[in-house]
Amino acid sequence: AQQYRDKVLRRMAQLGRWSDEDVRDALMEKVGATAPRMSWLAPLAAERLHQLARRSRRSGEAAQQIIRSTLDRDVQTTLERMLFDRVAQLPRYVSMAALVMDSQTLEVLGYAGSADFSDTRRFSHVDMVRGIRSPGSTLKPFLYAMALDDGLIHSESLLADTPQSFSGYDPGNFQANFSGPVSVSEALQRSLNVLAVDLLDRVGSTRFTARLASAGLRLRLPRDAQPNLSIILGGAGTSLEELVGAYRSLAMQGMAGAPRITQDMPIKETRMMSAGAAFIIRSILESGGHPEQAFIEKNTSGVRLAWKTGTSYGFRDAWAAGVTPRYAVG
């Protein structure tokens, strides 16, 4: 760009249109060139809708000329801008994804399967909303809710955070220490691993996995593998889409739901936990975390956010999922 700019400037001097002094001043100016970035919105969601339309045609249904999604343009634009601003601070090959769902209608309002669709180094063509990844500790609220419904605990039950061995499985806490007696609320707020494994041992890995699956949150295991105690710490795979649908239960009296990306998709709701357990778990997650406190203080509307983070083995995945009275977000 600068080479051709300078060529034009020198020709202006040769033709006598500009003075030599003006051209010298102009040649000192640097040319600022920004690589073009395609202006598209929700590209991976659009590709998914296109796939759904193709399947409908193959099944004999009439082809739609216009496919109408549930996406909200303002929410989608904000979501993509937030991810694009953040991803530049992360390592080169890291991807990001986010999903925003209306808890009342199950409609997907924001769908970002990757942070920058033009950045092939981040494998931006891979839709991480549907990608199967290790959920880390994000399943713990469902386990505590199940234990509440079973009558094994209540919100202020005292649990012993001490070293334990479960038939040769010796889990440790993320902070690599133990806290002794802690309440159920504190155990969930601090995401203590040993206590979660102990609870799962009492509830039953197979039963817990089946409960999640019946509510739309399927845990993927290696071929011929059976659920074991490691699943509560991320020892199985699931998707962001299914996780957001499950977290919706905390805001909707225990009813999980399948996210809908078109209004034609049916409303699918399944009970994940009792309404009482949902209220208790949501209250614990609203009052005990750390980053969301700033959100509450700055939010003049008084809307509270209940959320949980998760980190998979080796820091390969970092999750955050949560709910307000209206939205479920991951």
Side-chain angles (χ1 to χ4, degrees):
Q2 185 160 324
Q3 178 183 348
Y4 284 100
R5 191 277 314 261
D6 293 350
K7 178 181 178 180
V8 171
L9 288 174
R10 292 190 178 97
R11 185 173 294 173
M12 296 286 282
Q14 292 169 2
L15 296 174
R17 301 289 186 178
W18 283 9
S19 69
D20 290 341
E21 182 180 0
D22 286 342
V23 170
R24 280 196 301 271
D25 287 342
L27 288 170
M28 294 173 62
E29 295 289 337
K30 292 184 177 181
V31 171
T34 303
R37 181 170 180 263
M38 295 296 292
S39 179
W40 42 45
L41 198 64
L44 289 173
E47 173 59 25
R48 181 171 181 176
L49 290 165
H50 185 51
Q51 292 171 1
L52 289 172
R54 282 206 305 265
R55 284 200 292 269
S56 296
R57 286 196 294 271
R58 284 199 297 267
S59 65
E61 297 179 19
Q64 291 178 293
Q65 297 299 317
I66 298 176
I67 303 171
R68 302 189 186 279
S69 78
T70 60
L71 298 179
D72 181 287
R73 174 177 287 273
D74 292 338
V75 173
Q76 183 69 28
T77 302
T78 301
L79 195 64
E80 291 190 11
R81 184 174 64 247
M82 290 173 69
L83 264 63
F84 183 74
D85 291 344
R86 174 63 178 163
V87 77
Q89 305 171 37
L90 300 177
R92 175 176 293 183
Y93 299 110
V94 172
S95 182
M96 296 180 72
L99 189 71
V100 178
M101 183 182 77
D102 186 312
S103 292
Q104 297 285 340
T105 64
L106 297 174
E107 293 181 352
V108 174
L109 305 178
Y111 186 121
S114 62
D116 179 4
F117 193 64
S118 63
D119 189 349
T120 57
R121 295 176 306 175
R122 300 185 186 279
F123 306 97
S124 54
H125 61 285
V126 177
D127 186 351
M128 294 300 295
V129 168
R130 293 187 281 175
I132 304 301
R133 309 293 297 181
S134 165
S137 295
T138 56
L139 304 181
K140 289 177 181 175
F142 308 121
L143 173 63
Y144 280 80
M146 195 168 176
L148 282 166
D149 283 334
D150 286 350
L152 295 175
I153 57 172
H154 57 76
S155 60
E156 296 307 317
S157 295
L158 279 181
L159 306 176
D161 183 32
T162 57
Q164 296 188 56
S165 179
F166 302 87
S167 301
Y169 179 46
D170 305 320
N173 288 322
F174 186 81
Q175 297 83 1
N177 58 18
F178 299 93
S179 303
V182 295
S183 69
V184 164
S185 297
E186 185 181 357
L188 180 54
Q189 290 161 4
R190 295 174 56 190
S191 197
L192 297 175
N193 289 342
V194 176
L195 297 180
V197 173
D198 187 21
L199 269 185
L200 183 59
D201 189 42
R202 299 168 189 271
V203 168
S205 302
T206 300
R207 181 166 167 255
F208 177 65
T209 303
R211 170 66 64 84
L212 295 183
S214 69
L217 180 57
R218 295 175 297 147
L219 298 185
R220 280 73 164 185
L221 296 163
R223 185 184 299 273
D224 299 326
Q226 296 297 318
N228 57 41
L229 298 179
S230 72
I231 61 173
I232 198 58
L233 305 183
T238 192
S239 70
L240 179 63
E241 179 177 19
E242 292 182 5
L243 193 69
V244 169
Y247 264 77
R248 182 249 194 189
S249 63
L250 298 177
M252 297 300 292
Q253 297 186 334
M255 299 296 291
R260 304 162 60 226
I261 196 169
T262 67
Q263 293 184 345
D264 295 335
M265 296 177 70
I267 293 178
K268 296 181 180 179
E269 294 180 296
T270 314
R271 182 158 298 283
M272 172 72 81
M273 63 191 74
S274 69
F279 175 84
I280 292 171
I281 296 300
R282 181 176 166 189
S283 298
I284 291 173
L285 295 178
E286 282 179 343
S287 60
H290 300 289
E292 78 272 30
Q293 293 301 325
F295 171 89
I296 294 170
E297 290 167 7
K298 295 177 182 177
N299 183 7
T300 56
S301 67
V303 175
R304 298 180 69 86
L305 173 68
W307 75 317
K308 180 77 179 68
T309 58
T311 307
S312 70
Y313 181 78
F315 303 99
R316 292 178 62 87
D317 306 280
W319 299 69
V323 295
T324 68
R326 181 176 177 186
Y327 302 108
V329 183

